[in-house]
Amino acid sequence: MSNYHVPVMLAECIDALNIQPNGTYVDVTFGGGGHSREIMKHLGEGGRLLGFDQDADAQQNVIDDERFTFIDQNFRYLKNFTRLHDAIPVDGILADLGVSSYQFDQAERGFSIRFDAELDMRMNQASDLSAKEVVNSYTEADLHRIFGMYGEVQNAKSLAKTLVTARLNGPINTVADLKNAISNIIPRGKENKYLAQVFQALRIEVNQELEALKDFLMQSAEVLKPGGRLVVMSYHSLEDRLVKNFIAKGKFSGEVEKDFYGNNNRPFDAVSRGAIVATGEEIINNNRARSAKLRIAVKK
């Protein structure tokens, strides 16, 4: 597992779940199983843990324990599969969003700007849509939208136009092809940051990450029992904003709705005041912790 991914804020996540020995818990981003293995240490004989992951590579980390169930699905199907496994209601749900270190380090997956590989970026390798498909077939307007919204790229319009022009000379199939196609519009001295934003936008689009996150959050309110904990760790502002708004308002935009008596009509109360961030010591030892924000809520 250590080669797969070093769990971020492990102790804080476990503490946030407030684990009951005979409770039922869901780790919706199983990955290397780091968080799940720690949860298992706190469960008694009557405890139960379900782990979701759509990446086939995560299955090599499955925990051999009768209390553990692995579900090879995207977490946007949380409600269907917890019901299928007769696990509703649950006592706690953990989500560690984003891409694992393992996925970044697998050159052929195309997640990283460090390696030349085919533009892929699919977390579910059975999916039809890849980054190559997005770059080569999306309209200029759609490319402008995803680079602006998902990558928060400053010159998103110029970037989209540049790609559409470049692909007239031949398909953009690899990381190197993409870098070469846009090299003239990358701000000097900010190459790595700019490319990271471009890659983030493509990855979010390919995997429909924000839509999946919204589906998951809405279903978490239906799956958790009253007093159950929702623990979500995000790594960029787009995800964190959705989580923050949902906990505060029960929706992703607009004002919180009120019931007939004027009470706030939302399913969760925030446990932590604002987001919890990693310690300086952890950031030194695990650079990925630098951008992590942990939010904790309790089901009303």
Side-chain angles (χ1 to χ4, degrees):
M1 184 278 298
S2 59
N3 293 326
Y4 193 101
H5 180 63
V6 178
V8 173
M9 286 194 270
L10 180 59
E12 291 89 338
C13 288
I14 299 303
D15 184 55
L17 283 170
N18 190 32
I19 298 171
Q20 309 302 307
N22 292 323
T24 299
Y25 295 86
V26 188
D27 178 353
V28 297
T29 48
F30 178 73
H35 286 107
S36 282
R37 283 182 169 78
E38 197 62 32
I39 292 169
M40 294 294 291
K41 292 177 185 176
H42 292 74
L43 292 178
E45 285 186 18
R48 191 175 176 196
L49 175 64
L50 284 70
F52 279 71
D53 207 298
Q54 63 182 332
D55 189 339
D57 286 348
Q59 295 187 40
Q60 67 192 12
N61 305 311
V62 166
I63 300 168
D64 184 16
D65 189 306
E66 61 183 15
R67 298 170 298 168
F68 177 77
T69 303
F70 182 79
I71 299 168
D72 59 343
Q73 292 288 338
N74 187 301
F75 62 28
R76 72 190 309 169
Y77 305 115
L78 171 69
K79 186 178 177 183
N80 282 350
F81 283 90
T82 46
R83 181 192 286 129
L84 181 68
H85 290 276
D86 198 25
I88 295 177
V90 306
D91 295 273
I93 301 172
L94 171 67
D96 179 4
L97 306 175
V99 184
S100 73
S101 305
Y102 172 83
Q103 288 168 324
F104 272 125
D105 291 340
Q106 299 296 299
E108 69 276 10
R109 301 293 294 275
F111 284 109
S112 176
I113 62 174
R114 292 178 290 144
F115 311 111
D116 187 26
E118 193 161 287
L119 285 168
D120 191 335
M121 302 193 198
R122 292 172 299 165
M123 290 184 182
N124 177 358
Q125 291 171 288
S127 171
D128 292 330
L129 185 64
S130 69
K132 182 170 67 174
E133 182 77 15
V134 172
V135 168
N136 287 290
S137 70
Y138 273 34
T139 65
E140 186 175 327
D142 282 337
L143 288 172
H144 179 197
R145 174 183 58 81
I146 68 166
F147 289 129
M149 284 178 55
Y150 299 158
E152 299 177 295
V153 176
Q154 291 294 319
N155 61 350
K157 190 170 186 177
S158 299
L159 173 59
K161 187 178 182 65
T162 299
L163 282 173
V164 169
T165 303
R167 72 194 191 194
L168 293 174
N169 298 320
I172 300 167
N173 291 331
T174 66
V175 172
D177 290 344
L178 178 60
K179 287 181 179 178
N180 290 335
I182 66 175
S183 59
N184 290 334
I185 64 165
I186 299 176
R188 299 294 166 243
K190 297 181 179 178
E191 290 85 356
N192 284 346
K193 181 183 178 184
Y194 185 87
L195 287 168
Q197 290 175 304
V198 170
F199 272 53
Q200 174 179 296
L202 290 171
R203 195 196 75 227
I204 289 173
E205 176 66 16
V206 166
N207 298 290
Q208 298 292 296
E209 290 176 29
L210 300 185
E211 289 81 358
L213 177 57
K214 288 178 182 178
D215 288 349
F216 156 68
L217 289 170
M218 294 294 287
Q219 291 170 38
S220 70
E222 301 177 64
V223 168
L224 278 163
K225 65 175 61 170
R229 295 290 185 98
L230 175 66
V231 180
V232 184
M233 188 152 51
S234 57
Y235 295 85
H236 58 75
S237 59
L238 299 174
E239 290 174 337
D240 182 57
R241 196 176 303 134
L242 290 178
V243 176
K244 178 182 177 181
N245 284 344
F246 185 71
I247 291 173
K249 305 173 184 178
K251 53 199 289 193
F252 303 108
S253 60
E255 294 305 311
V256 63
E257 295 174 0
K258 296 183 182 294
D259 64 16
F260 179 76
Y261 299 101
N263 300 310
N264 286 339
N265 195 12
R266 60 172 196 260
F268 288 101
D269 283 326
V271 172
S272 55
R273 196 181 178 94
I276 296 169
V277 297
T279 64
E281 182 181 357
E282 179 172 4
I283 292 169
I284 291 170
N285 294 322
N286 184 3
N287 185 54
R288 190 168 181 270
R290 176 175 43 87
S291 57
K293 288 188 174 181
L294 180 67
R295 295 190 184 272
I296 311 162
V298 62
K299 172 76 181 295
K300 287 182 171 184

